Amino acid sequence: MFDDTPRQLPARLPELRAAAREAGFTMSCDERTGSLLAVLAAGRPRRILELGTGVGEGTAWLLSGMDDTAELVTVELDGALQAVAGALFGADDRITFVTGDGGAWLEKYDGEPFDLVFADTWPGKFTHLDLALGLVAPGGAYLIDDLLPQPGWPEGHEASVERLLADLTTRPDFRTVRLDWASGLLLAVRTDA
């Protein structure tokens, strides 16, 4: 059997996992999804956007793959959760923490596009999708997770996933691949110029 367990883990991952347990936060980035984030970040995207910092597990994976010239903007509604990531990574000048509603941030953002967008929360995935996709630079990648049924999904979540997948896989401006792996992923690359 093929073992897809990640071998290279971010150094701060044990601390982040302990903080997540202590906070009762159960929606941290899956380890296999994290390993994919690290690989995508190692492809040298200059600008990366993470929607949904949580306690920072996805952030740790992204930072572990990024080089010194890359920039990461990470947005989180829950300031107490994001403070965990801020305490561990706040001194890293490659990262900018934004505490606030991701949907409101997407509505107001008017800066440069991103080479990689990881949408790990509702805004940018189930809401504000067009705004998030509009921030993906030509040739850039958009990654979403949590597409396979999970314990604790709210009522109607599966229908939201089905609508999202139908929309994303029929867009002429993105090439997509679904991955029945980790928590269920979709990776899309912007193909228009």
Side-chain angles (χ1 to χ4, degrees):
M1 175 172 218
F2 185 79
D3 181 4
D4 63 355
T5 304
R7 303 280 187 245
Q8 296 173 302
L9 304 176
R12 306 308 286 267
L13 203 55
E15 292 169 83
L16 292 166
R17 288 179 174 164
R21 280 190 304 276
E22 187 175 309
F25 183 68
T26 61
M27 299 302 293
S28 288
C29 180
D30 175 88
E31 193 171 88
R32 290 177 296 164
T33 302
S35 67
L36 178 59
L37 287 171
V39 167
L40 292 171
R44 302 205 192 277
R46 190 174 68 79
R47 295 180 41 76
I48 301 170
L49 172 63
E50 176 185 37
L51 297 166
T53 313
V55 297
E57 288 191 41
T59 306
W61 285 102
L62 287 165
L63 289 169
S64 74
M66 291 167 50
D67 69 15
D68 291 339
T69 65
E71 302 171 14
L72 170 62
V73 175
T74 184
V75 182
E76 172 60 46
L77 177 62
D78 188 327
L81 288 177
Q82 192 179 57
V84 173
L88 293 177
F89 304 119
D92 190 325
D93 61 0
R94 300 174 297 167
I95 188 168
T96 301
F97 290 98
V98 177
T99 305
D101 179 81
W105 184 88
L106 287 166
E107 290 169 3
K108 292 177 185 172
Y109 180 78
D110 66 349
E112 292 181 64
F114 295 88
D115 304 304
L116 173 60
V117 173
F118 175 44
D120 192 20
T121 189
W122 283 71
K125 188 185 327 186
F126 298 116
T127 68
H128 302 84
L129 177 63
D130 287 335
L131 291 174
L133 293 176
L135 293 181
V136 178
Y142 169 82
L143 179 68
I144 54 175
D145 64 350
D146 300 331
L147 301 175
L148 293 175
Q150 308 286 317
W153 263 11
E155 180 79 23
H157 190 79
E158 188 169 355
S160 296
V161 168
E162 289 173 9
R163 282 190 301 275
L164 174 66
L165 293 176
D167 183 8
L168 285 169
T169 57
T170 59
R171 294 182 69 101
D173 51 345
F174 282 85
R175 182 73 182 250
T176 64
V177 61
R178 295 184 197 190
L179 302 168
D180 185 9
W181 180 72
S183 64
L185 308 172
L186 181 136
L187 178 62
V189 173
R190 185 175 204 109
T191 56
D192 65 336

